[in-house]
Amino acid sequence: MTDTTNNDLVAIVLAAGRSTRMGNDDKLWADLNGAPVIAHALRTLSTLEGLSTLVIVGPEQRHEDLRQLVNAPIEVRCVVGGDRRQDSVAAGIAEAPHAGWYLVHDGARPLLTSELVARTLDAARAHGAAVPGVPVADTLKQIDETGRVLQTVDRATVRAIQTPQAFAGDLLRRAHATVADDVTDDAAMIEAIGEPVFVVEGDPANLKVTRPIDLELARSLLATRQD
């Protein structure tokens, strides 16, 4: 049962990636039109109406730098991440264990908008858990370990899932206390405990910077917004 009386909103931003696909350069600190990649997501989230606390999960040696990127009258807490994504989220939850609602966002997605956040939060407040997703343009094939195609997946029934993801606090805490298997996002943990997750319209521009070409695309998109 979701506690609808607690409206305390906490955002957890993951800033602890290893950047292996960026040639081991730290993608979160790459320059994105005059500011680090991570700064853009922090600025958007720190100005959200109703946000009580911003928890940033990242390496200890970067904590002070991360705090300096937030120029808003909001409480900022920094914690060290874990080996897996879900371990890092769990560290963020432990830093704010009584939140009524959590927003979980990948710091490598710098182009999120307040409209996307609001849309996702509204759906979570209606259903308990919500994630943004975008239609898949490519044909999808399910394959076996040898590379042989098993079937073609109906792309109309799938979505590429983004962050921020929004959850009722007690629901996300229960999922993290229950699920030990490796997962790729928090929504999968909610699914694993048998609770529904709803998908809202995502934003194609809300890309994740994982490769050098993603950084170039983000620079181009951000420049268009700033014109």
Side-chain angles (χ1 to χ4, degrees), residues 152-221:
T152 299
V153 179
D154 181 3
R155 64 187 179 191
T157 66
V158 298
R159 293 293 183 268
I161 300 304
Q162 305 176 326
T163 65
Q165 300 185 355
F167 308 97
D170 53 357
L171 182 60
L172 186 62
R173 288 189 291 268
R174 178 158 59 92
H176 273 267
T178 304
V179 179
D181 294 339
D182 290 349
V183 296
T184 55
D185 70 356
D186 293 272
M189 303 181 82
I190 304 298
E191 298 162 35
I193 63 172
E195 298 290 347
V197 178
F198 286 77
V199 178
V200 300
E201 180 184 358
D203 181 355
N206 182 33
L207 58 83
K208 187 174 183 180
V209 176
T210 59
R211 302 162 299 176
I213 192 173
D214 300 324
L215 185 58
E216 294 304 317
L217 287 170
R219 286 170 177 157
S220 179
L221 289 167

Side-chain angles (χ1 to χ4, degrees), residues 8-12 50-55 74-77 95-96:
D8 184 39
L9 175 62
V10 170
I12 298 173
L51 186 71
S52 67
T53 306
L54 181 62
V55 179
I74 189 172
E75 182 177 8
V76 179
R77 303 178 187 175
E95 191 65 21

Side-chain angles (χ1 to χ4, degrees), residues 2-216:
T2 298
D3 179 5
T4 58
T5 64
N6 183 356
N7 290 316
D8 184 39
L9 175 62
V10 170
I12 298 173
V13 181
L14 302 178
R18 292 185 174 85
S19 302
T20 55
R21 282 175 284 185
M22 289 286 287
N24 291 322
D25 293 329
D26 194 336
K27 64 188 176 186
L28 296 179
W29 294 91
D31 178 77
L32 178 54
N33 296 22
V37 167
I38 183 64
H40 297 272
L42 293 177
R43 288 172 182 171
T44 299
L45 291 170
S46 66
T47 59
L48 291 178
E49 183 177 355
L51 186 71
S52 67
T53 306
L54 181 62
V55 179
I56 310 172
V57 185
E60 187 172 9
Q61 64 270 26
R62 284 291 197 180
H63 283 182
E64 187 55 37
D65 294 331
L66 289 164
R67 290 189 186 94
Q68 292 298 320
L69 293 176
V70 181
N71 184 22
I74 189 172
E75 182 177 8
V76 179
R77 303 178 187 175
C78 293
V79 295
V80 176
D83 291 336
R84 303 174 300 173
R85 183 187 189 280
Q86 65 216 71
D87 298 328
S88 293
V89 176
I93 292 171
E95 191 65 21
H98 305 296
W101 299 92
Y102 292 104
L103 272 173
V104 181
H105 185 64
D106 293 324
R109 291 188 187 271
L111 301 182
L112 83 160
T113 63
S114 57
E115 292 80 9
L116 178 62
V117 176
R119 188 159 63 242
T120 308
L121 264 175
D122 285 347
R125 285 171 173 147
H127 302 292
V131 298
V134 294
V136 178
D138 298 320
T139 296
L140 299 175
K141 304 284 188 183
Q142 183 182 9
I143 63 173
D144 65 15
E145 64 278 3
T146 70
R148 179 185 176 185
V149 172
L150 299 177
Q151 64 175 328
T152 299
V153 179
D154 181 3
R155 64 187 179 191
T157 66
V158 298
R159 293 293 183 268
I161 300 304
Q162 305 176 326
T163 65
Q165 300 185 355
F167 308 97
D170 53 357
L171 182 60
L172 186 62
R173 288 189 291 268
R174 178 158 59 92
H176 273 267
T178 304
V179 179
D181 294 339
D182 290 349
V183 296
T184 55
D185 70 356
D186 293 272
M189 303 181 82
I190 304 298
E191 298 162 35
I193 63 172
E195 298 290 347
V197 178
F198 286 77
V199 178
V200 300
E201 180 184 358
D203 181 355
N206 182 33
L207 58 83
K208 187 174 183 180
V209 176
T210 59
R211 302 162 299 176
I213 192 173
D214 300 324
L215 185 58
E216 294 304 317

